[in-house]
Structures are given as C-alpha cells and as structure tokens.
Amino acid sequence: MTGYVSLSAWDLGLASLLVFANAGLSLALRLDLHGRLLIAAARMVAQLSLMGLVLVTLFALVSPWWTALAALVMVGFAGREAAARQDRPLTGWWSYGIGTTSMMTAATLVTVFALTTALRPDPWYDPRYAIPLLGMVLGNTMTGVSLGLNGLATGLVTRRAGVEARLMLGASRHEALRPVVRAALRNAMMPIVNAMSATGVVSLPGMMTGQILGGVAPAEAVKYQILIMFLIAGGTGIGAVTAVLGGSWRLTDHRHRLRLDRIGG
Amino acid sequence: MLEVVNLRRSGLAPVSLSLAAGECVAVQGPSGAGKSLMLRAIADLDVNDGEVSLDGVGRDAVSGPQWRRQVGYVPAEPGWWADRVGEHFRDWAALLPWAERLLLPAEAAAWPMTRPSTGERCRLALLRALEMAPRMLLLDEPTAALDPLATAAVEALVGERVAAGLGVLWVTHDAVQAARVAGRILRISQGRLE
C-alpha cells in the first residue's frame, strides 16, 4: 500500500457542484429532471453514509449473527428491486419470493465459496470481506434474476400460441417451455458476458478503480477484479437458472397446463 | 367412449355430454357462447372441474400430456413454435397421403412458417393433430378459413377417420355443414349447453 488521499467534506461539496450544474442545465433546457436528480443524489449520500455507519459497527463486532442479519436485509432489498423491475409480475408475492430465493441461493453459495477458498479471512465470516463481496455478487445477480424472470413471463405471453400448441400435441411442460426458457436464460446471461468482454478495454470496473485510488497496487487490484468477475458470472448463472426454473414451475401446473392467469396486470 | 359429467369452468355453465367411438357431434352457438372454452376444458388446457373419462378411464388417472395425446384439440387459430413447417411434424413423409388429400403440397415441409396462408395453416394443424393418432378430436371451426374445395377435402378426411373409429366434436357456425358432417348437433348459448 502506498497510502491514499483522504477526502474532506469540502472536497465532496466541490464535486457535488457538478450535480447542481446538471440541475441548472435541466432547468435551462426544461428537462424537468432537476427535482428527481437532486432527490436521487441526496438519497445516494444518505444511503451510503448509513451503510458506512453500519459497516463500521459490523467490522467492530465481527459477529456471525449480525453479519448474517445484514446479508439478509441486503437480499431482501435486492428481491424487492428485482420484483419491481418486472413488466409482467407474477400474482401475489411470487415475483418477490422466487427472486429473493434464487438470489439468496446464488449469492450465499458464491460468497461462501470465495470466503472459504480464495480469500480465507479469519474468521471466514469476517464482515470486512463477506459484506462487500456479497454486495458485488448480489448487485449483478439481481440483474440476471430480474432479466431472466422478465424474459420468461414476457416470452410466455408473446409466444403463448406456440407453447400451447405443443401442449395440445401432448408435450410435457418442460418440452413446451424449453425455447422460452432458453431465450430467458440467454437474456439473463448477456450482460455479464458483455461486461467480461468489455472490461479492461472499454471500462475500468468501479471496484478496481476504487482499490487503485485507495492505494492498492494495480496488479493486485486486477487479480481481485478477475476473482470478482468470476464470482459474479457464477452467481448470475445460478441465480438466473433458479429464478427461471422456479418461474416456469409457477407458470405451469401439475396437469402440464400453461397458467398465464398467474401473471398479474 | 368420451364421458363428460358436470364439467365446470369460468365462463361456462356445468356441461355434461357423451360421445361414442366413431361418432361425430357438431357444436353450434353464437360467438362468445363458450364453445372454445368447453373444448379447452375437455382437453384440460385450462383450470376446470368435473369428471371426464375416456373408455371409463378418468382423466386424472393419466398425466395431462397423455390425456391430450388421446383427446386432440385443434384451435381455430393454431399456434406454431418452429421456423419451418416440417419441424412441427414428427414424420412428414409418412403423412404425405393425408397431406395430399388435404390439398397440401409435399414440399410444404420446407416452407418457412411465414408462407402458408390462414387456410393452409388450419389444414396443417389438423394434419399435425391426426399424426398423434388420437382417440378423440376437438375441432374448433376447422374450415372457417377454407374455400369450398378445401372444406370438402377436410370433411372427407375427417369423415374417413370417424368411420375408422375416431370420435369428433366439431364446432361450426355453418348449420348446413353441421347437418352434413355430424349425426347429432349440440347447441351452446350464453355458456349453457342445451
């Protein structure tokens, strides 16, 4: 470590002028965005400050229970976000339930895998590693899960005639749904595939940039970034498959009927 | 052969009917009367209640796909899942004699799905359902989009299968056709079978 430049409130205030400049631009051009822009910026500051406080406490405690609780709250919020992104949500709590379950499965598997193999902090649940790792994996898994579920529901609605035609000819629900399931999974995996191929050429990932700015040697930061990308890819795959299979189970029934009545308005 | 007792579903009053092997029964009624809803319920494509059996074997004794292979349903607007016509059939070559009788050319298998007309699609869907060798066929306006020549071809082929033991429920708007193809006519109005 070569040390890092500590930021003062004054530095952040100066940078925030850029947001205010945007708001001014919105006023001048009548984009009608200034209100939402300022509220979003204020939310970001408040949420991150709160997260900072929570992290300070968690890092001081190093308790498996408090760490697990924080992880659970994060997964809960991710589930809400994934459910909110559905164009055609499932009725009842099913979008939230399937989204949360698949993200919990994927993020837990991948995070525990990384903590017990590559990173091995002592104790393994040390929140200093577990929470940031979970956050990175969760954010991307959420994208995969919500894209997968959305692709499934939209695909079944638009390709309903074709799917039902197969059912009418005696196909099982798995056979009948296969093309739609496949398209939904491709849809869900595309962002991470694209991100991996563009990383380092077009974009420098935020985590690596943050580490470098924080004084970590670039070569070390790169290794961490590669690890994170693998974890994200794994998490996205597990999450998307769980969510899409769960969704196709919910949108059919034991008589192998298509149940689009289980999609809400 | 087909025994339907107290079939209930949304949009339809309880339905009971029975149909013997080798019998063709026409179903008539105004649009929106529930004819398609009834066929879909018999094929177990929508949630429904009631006792439906084939040769005394209850529907619940077999899986949904097994049931639908025995009780084929051909909707008025059939769906397609692949890009080419031939991909919707298991063995197109074996079906050639029937395809010819339905005035469908042998090379239709190679057509992209965008090519067949509405009338050709209706006949392809009928052919596709016959390929399963079902015991029963539920036909929903199979000739509504056809010219007189193709209509006669469909009636002749279905009639021949009926003579060979196939049971058919044939929904049609055309009273003359109903009298021509069926031995018995059921009427549905406002979700009620009379």
Side-chain angles (χ1 to χ4, degrees), chain A residues 72 74-86 89-108 137-138 140-150 152 235-236 238-250:
Chain A
L72 220 64
M74 286 166 74
V75 171
F77 273 105
R80 216 187 62 159
E81 189 65 29
R85 289 188 195 177
Q86 300 301 310
L90 307 185
T91 50
W93 285 80
W94 284 96
S95 285
Y96 182 80
I98 291 176
T100 310
T101 312
S102 37
M103 278 188 285
M104 178 115 78
T105 314
T108 310
V137 173
L138 206 52
N140 290 276
T141 305
M142 184 180 74
T143 308
V145 164
S146 56
L147 282 177
L149 272 182
N150 203 38
L152 178 76
T236 307
I238 298 171
V241 168
T242 317
V244 170
L245 291 187
S248 52
W249 168 79
R250 175 63 191 163

Side-chain angles (χ1 to χ4, degrees), chain A residues 173-263:
Chain A
R173 51 174 154 173
H174 308 289
E175 290 170 86
L177 262 60
R178 198 174 294 141
V180 178
V181 163
R182 201 174 286 153
L185 284 178
R186 288 178 59 91
N187 205 8
M189 296 299 291
M190 238 37 219
I192 181 63
V193 173
N194 289 340
M196 283 200 284
S197 42
T199 294
V201 189
V202 183
S203 63
L204 283 187
M207 191 215 75
M208 190 176 102
T209 316
Q211 274 196 309
I212 294 176
L213 288 179
V216 173
E220 287 303 310
V222 163
K223 280 195 273 182
Y224 258 88
Q225 188 61 47
I226 293 175
L227 174 72
I228 291 289
M229 286 307 244
F230 285 157
L231 295 181
I232 288 174
T236 307
I238 298 171
V241 168
T242 317
V244 170
L245 291 187
S248 52
W249 168 79
R250 175 63 191 163
L251 290 175
T252 53
D253 65 18
H254 67 292
R255 296 296 295 169
H256 298 254
R257 295 182 283 225
L258 187 60
R259 295 297 301 273
L260 294 186
D261 55 309
R262 288 173 176 171
I263 292 180

Side-chain angles (χ1 to χ4, degrees), chain A residues 159-173 175 179 253-259 261, chain B residues 40 44-48 59-60 62-65 67-69 72-73 75 79-81 88 128-129 132:
Chain A
R159 294 159 79 170
R160 169 187 186 158
V163 172
E164 285 207 320
R166 299 199 84 167
L167 292 174
M168 286 165 203
L169 292 169
S172 70
R173 51 174 154 173
E175 290 170 86
D253 65 18
H254 67 292
R255 296 296 295 169
H256 298 254
R257 295 182 283 225
L258 187 60
R259 295 297 301 273
D261 55 309
Chain B
R40 285 182 63 94
D44 207 6
L45 284 162
D46 294 326
V47 177
N48 68 92
R59 183 169 64 175
D60 294 330
V62 298
S63 75
W67 175 258
R68 290 188 279 267
R69 274 194 286 269
Y73 169 50
W80 308 90
W81 61 87
H88 297 91
R128 185 171 73 173
M132 295 190 297

